[in-house]
């Protein structure tokens, strides 16, 4: 709430006073958890590209986290533009704003609330529904990594959504995590709990203004999907170009649960994002699709895990990446099949399009199979724009730059079809159009829409 | 007559991967005419087509090519297309993710012939009906998973939508069954006329029965060795290339 200006004497994000402050306003169980997490954070070294396999290709030694102040006051314009994206893509969705100083935390949620859905800040949920929040946080250990420990100690605000047993949510939940300012740290939190046989669509959006402002984001999303429940989850990462972003998006699936996960990574300076599906229950299924467009000096690291822990589980992951200028993409993905996961069916695939000589993409999909009678596979490709495709376009009068843009957009097109919500799919398509600059705005959707007149 | 743009090729020499393929081609095609370029496999027919369109793999080592008085060889492929050239590919490449509709709209926009969506879709439907192309085609990714026949129809569909001044058909007849060949040939004939000239490259005289070319040229070992009227194609149909090529080889072309 405080409109604090950066200045001497303020508490940086990494000072123990902050965790004390956070603990003071938390219920006991959470205060304890925060303090334990802080101790864990302090006892762990920062990840190093020499020591830590996860961080071998992503160097965060340039992140001077100790300099950053907590983000208390988000720019109103940034928050408003995120609300606008929600309103044009899916006006029926309930909207939750993870920013303490901007407007109501939750709006337009009547339809969901009438169904018994809980949608509120994580802080409030921790006080009012401790047993639900504890259940939902059970699978994010306080000490599993430096960044997750920090998140556990310091998250504030946050968004919590709970769908009761048997309830098919009538409207999506649109969660916005805006950030702004310079040398600020933001700790976004999204926690979702779907009880048995329920269903929900969640949009989880991260954005900050363009420009040279340096921000540090340490985010965790926990998605708990109960028996026979279905979650459609859409992640939109649109941080400004000087944002350090470390995130874990983790889903746990009970028996016969179903996850459609779609991630669009468009922003940030350096990203390390974990996308994890823990298939704990027999017959659970996860379909994960991602698209990433990186340019300038962006360094974008995706690390995925498809953990098959029960029989008859199925997972599929496809990440498509286009890199331009001196941008670099790093992808590593693991399908981990436990001995009890007989008949597991898993596939992981990463396809990269390199748009300039300086652009780079590393891809390391892996399988670790400890069960018999499974069907698992992986694939990775990287290549430049096809000369024949470019010539074909040019022979039809299309200028080289436009041809290249259309080919890139085409490369990314099939992935847009995997967005599990039509309004958001349109939004993603238009975001990609804007990213792939020089692209003539000639969407098929536009032509078809006219056709129906 | 000043509106009539002519393709003029003079002593054109082309190498592919340092191997000479065209060794001095001379050819004139006026905008309103239909010319056939025939010749056995490996004579350089497709090389000429690709070179005229500006494929980067084909290196011009001598001679000239102009269209409507403009030096083609100085232009990029897209500039040549905007000048009015069109190549019907023998093996058009697939572009996954780009639908036929988007491909055509990008082309029309680049040609400065943009239409409103409604008008565009109406015209597209008319042309697709003429070519007996299924409606599902327009939202399919271009050439992606198309059969050989579908690719050829798609090329003619583009020709019909883009209306160039000179169409080069590179073995558009190959691999087509009798009915498809007729559909495609009729499609070309609907468009050919004072506004569009045609240079049809083929091994087989059959398509020429439909197109009735004003002139027939025979390419052999990288040169036009003889030219004539439609009767030349009929002679080839009857006797094959050998008698013609044999004569030609006996008359050295004064290198």
């Amino acid at each position: 709430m405080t409109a604090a200006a950066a200045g001497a004497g303020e508490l940086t994000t990494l000072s123990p006073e902050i965790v004390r402050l956070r603990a003071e306003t938390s219920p006991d169980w959470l205060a304890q958890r925060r303090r334990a997490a802080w101790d864990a954070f302090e006892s762990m070294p920062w990840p190093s590209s020499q020591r830590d396999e996860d961080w071998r290709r992503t160097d965060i030694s340039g992140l001077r986290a100790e300099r950053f102040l907590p983000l208390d006051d988000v720019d109103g314009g940034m928050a408003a533009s995120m609300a606008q994206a929600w309103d044009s893509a899916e006006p029926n969705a309930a909207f939750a704003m993870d920013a303490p100083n901007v407007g109501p935390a939750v709006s337009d949620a009547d339809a969901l609330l009438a169904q018994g859905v809980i949608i509120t800040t994580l802080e409030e949920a921790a006080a009012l529904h401790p047993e639900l929040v504890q259940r939902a946080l059970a699978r994010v250990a306080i000490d599993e990594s430096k960044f997750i420990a920090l998140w556990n100690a310091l998250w504030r605000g946050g968004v919590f959504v709970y769908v009761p047993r048997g309830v098919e949510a009538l409207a999506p939940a649109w969660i916005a995590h805006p950030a702004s300012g310079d040398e600020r740290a933001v700790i976004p939190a999204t926690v979702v709990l779907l009880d048995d046989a329920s269903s929900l669509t969640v949009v989880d959006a991260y954005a900050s203004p363009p420009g040279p402002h340096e921000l540090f984001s340490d985010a965790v999303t926990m998605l708990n999907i109960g028996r026979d429940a279905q979650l459609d989850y859409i992640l939109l990462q649109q941080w400004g170009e000087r944002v350090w972003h470390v995130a874990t998006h983790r889903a746990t699936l009970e028996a016969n649960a179903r996850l459609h996960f779609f991630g669009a990574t468009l922003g940030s300076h350096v990203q390390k994002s974990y996308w994890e599906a823990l298939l704990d229950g027999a017959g659970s299924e996860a379909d994960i699709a991602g698209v990433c467009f990186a340019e300038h000096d962006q360094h974008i690291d995706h690390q995925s895990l498809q953990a098959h822990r029960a029989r008859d589980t199925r997972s599929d992951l496809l990440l498509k990446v286009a890199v331009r200028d001196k941008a670099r993409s790093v992808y590593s993905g693991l399908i981990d099949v436990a001995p009890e996961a007989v008949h597991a069916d898993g596939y992981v695939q990463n396809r990269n399009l390199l748009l300039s000589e300086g652009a780079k993409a590393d891809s390391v999909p892996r399988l670790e199979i400890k069960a018999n009678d499974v069907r698992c596979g992986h694939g990775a490709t990287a290549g430049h724009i096809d000369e024949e495709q470019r010539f074909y376009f040019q022979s039809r009068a299309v200028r080289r730059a436009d041809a290249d843009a259309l080919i890139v957009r085409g490369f990314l097109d099939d992935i847009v079809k995997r967005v599990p919500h039509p309004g958001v799919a349109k939004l993603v398509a238009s975001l990609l159009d804007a990213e792939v600059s020089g692209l003539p705005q000639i969407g098929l959707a536009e032509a078809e829409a006219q056709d129906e007149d | 007559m000043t509106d009539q743009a002519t393709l003029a090729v003079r002593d054109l020499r082309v190498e592919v991967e340092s191997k000479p393929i065209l060794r001095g081609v001379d050819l004139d095609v006026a905008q309103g005419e239909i010319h056939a370029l025939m010749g056995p496999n490996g004579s350089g027919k497709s090389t000429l087509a690709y070179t005229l369109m500006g494929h980067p793999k084909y290196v011009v080592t001598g001679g000239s090519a102009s269209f409507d008085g403009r030096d083609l060889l100085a232009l990029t492929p897209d500039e040549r297309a905007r000048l009015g050239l069109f190549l019907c590919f023998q093996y058009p490449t697939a572009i996954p993710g780009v639908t036929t509709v988007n491909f055509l709209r990008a082309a029309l926009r680049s040609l400065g012939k943009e239409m409103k969506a409604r008008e565009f879709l109406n015209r597209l439907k008319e042309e697709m009906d003429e070519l007996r192309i299924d409606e599902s085609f327009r939202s399919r990714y271009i050439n992606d998973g198309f059969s050989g026949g579908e690719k050829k129809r798609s090329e003619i569909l583009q020709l019909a939508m883009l209306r160039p001044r000179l169409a080069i058909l590179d073995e558009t007849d190959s691999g087509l069954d009798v009915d498809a060949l007729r559909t495609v040939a009729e499609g070309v004939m609907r468009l050919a006329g004072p506004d569009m000239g045609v240079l049809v490259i083929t091994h087989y005289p059959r398509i020429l029965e439909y197109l009735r070319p004003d002139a027939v040229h025979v390419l052999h070992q990288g040169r036009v060795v003889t030219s004539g009227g439609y009767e030349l194609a009929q002679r080839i149909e009857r006797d094959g290339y050998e008698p013609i090529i044999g004569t030609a080889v006996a008359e050295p072309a004064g290198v």
Side-chain angles (χ1 to χ4, degrees), chain A residues 187-430:
Chain A
I187 320 277
T190 295
V191 176
V192 176
L193 181 58
L194 263 60
D195 230 322
D196 297 349
S198 67
S199 67
L200 177 69
T201 298
V202 170
V203 179
D204 202 18
Y206 302 76
S208 65
H213 327 293
E214 205 178 354
L215 295 164
F216 163 46
S217 147
D218 181 22
V220 171
T221 294
M222 263 311 302
L223 309 167
N224 302 270
I225 313 171
R227 281 175 167 270
D228 301 306
Q230 174 168 333
L231 177 68
D232 292 351
Y233 174 78
I234 300 152
L235 161 65
L236 304 173
Q237 195 271 73
Q238 295 176 267
W239 289 127
E241 62 264 35
R242 306 296 339 148
V243 178
W244 301 81
H245 178 57
V246 180
T248 296
H249 303 271
R250 176 178 299 161
T252 65
L253 293 90
E254 294 180 36
N256 299 316
R258 225 173 132 57
L259 168 70
H260 290 122
F261 179 120
F262 181 87
T265 302
L266 303 173
S268 78
H269 169 44
V270 175
Q271 163 183 294
K272 173 85 190 177
S273 188
Y274 294 85
W275 295 0
E276 302 176 350
L278 313 182
L279 300 146
D280 297 335
S284 57
E285 300 186 15
D287 288 288
I288 303 166
V291 63
C292 169
F293 187 87
E295 58 188 339
H296 308 306
D297 62 346
Q298 283 185 286
H299 180 109
I300 304 296
D301 183 332
H302 291 94
Q303 180 165 342
S304 67
L305 171 66
Q306 294 149 266
H308 291 257
R309 307 249 167 93
R311 57 183 304 129
D312 303 316
T313 45
R314 187 188 65 77
S315 72
D316 179 65
L317 182 145
L318 170 62
L319 176 66
K320 279 196 158 183
V321 179
V323 269
R324 187 157 70 185
D325 307 322
K326 288 183 174 328
R328 182 171 180 197
S329 165
V330 174
Y331 171 73
S332 53
L334 173 65
I335 296 180
D336 185 18
V337 181
E340 55 273 29
V342 290
H343 300 143
D345 178 346
Y347 199 73
V348 56
Q349 197 187 165
N350 172 223
R351 294 188 57 200
N352 299 288
L353 185 59
L354 305 167
L355 302 176
S356 49
E357 288 306 315
K360 218 179 143 188
D362 296 319
S363 189
V364 193
R366 288 189 304 132
L367 306 177
E368 260 181 48
I369 298 171
K370 297 162 207 116
N372 291 320
D373 195 12
V374 301
R375 199 173 67 181
C376 290
H378 64 83
T381 58
H384 294 273
I385 284 195
D386 185 290
E387 282 270 351
E388 296 301 324
Q389 293 183 352
R390 181 187 281 148
F391 176 67
Y392 192 48
F393 261 118
Q394 285 189 282
S395 79
R396 300 300 185 250
V398 179
R399 289 166 182 84
R400 183 185 161 123
D402 291 342
D404 285 5
L406 284 158
I407 292 166
V408 177
R409 190 59 186 77
F411 168 74
L412 300 176
D413 195 67
D414 62 339
I415 205 90
V416 176
K417 296 198 163 78
R418 300 198 185 200
V419 180
H421 181 284
V424 186
K426 265 192 180 170
L427 172 65
V428 170
S430 69

Side-chain angles (χ1 to χ4, degrees), chain A residues 386-400 402 406-407 409-411 413-414 417 440-448 450-453, chain B residues 50 53-56 77-78 81-82 86-87 89 92-98 101-103 105-107 109-111 117-118 121 138 141 143 155 158 162:
Chain A
D386 185 290
E387 282 270 351
E388 296 301 324
Q389 293 183 352
R390 181 187 281 148
F391 176 67
Y392 192 48
F393 261 118
Q394 285 189 282
S395 79
R396 300 300 185 250
V398 179
R399 289 166 182 84
R400 183 185 161 123
D402 291 342
L406 284 158
I407 292 166
R409 190 59 186 77
F411 168 74
D413 195 67
D414 62 339
K417 296 198 163 78
Q441 301 291 314
I442 44 146
L444 175 64
E446 177 200 341
E448 296 291 351
Q450 299 271 348
D451 195 28
E452 287 158 16
D453 283 351
Chain B
Y50 273 96
M53 205 66 235
H55 192 290
D78 52 298
R82 285 196 291 280
F86 182 97
L87 174 60
F89 287 80
T93 190
I95 309 181
V98 177
V101 159
N102 280 356
F103 186 81
R105 296 193 78 196
R109 171 182 299 246
S110 304
L111 287 165
R118 158 123 268 171
L121 290 167
R138 55 187 210 179
Y141 293 153
N143 298 320
E155 292 292 295
Q158 293 174 44
L162 303 180

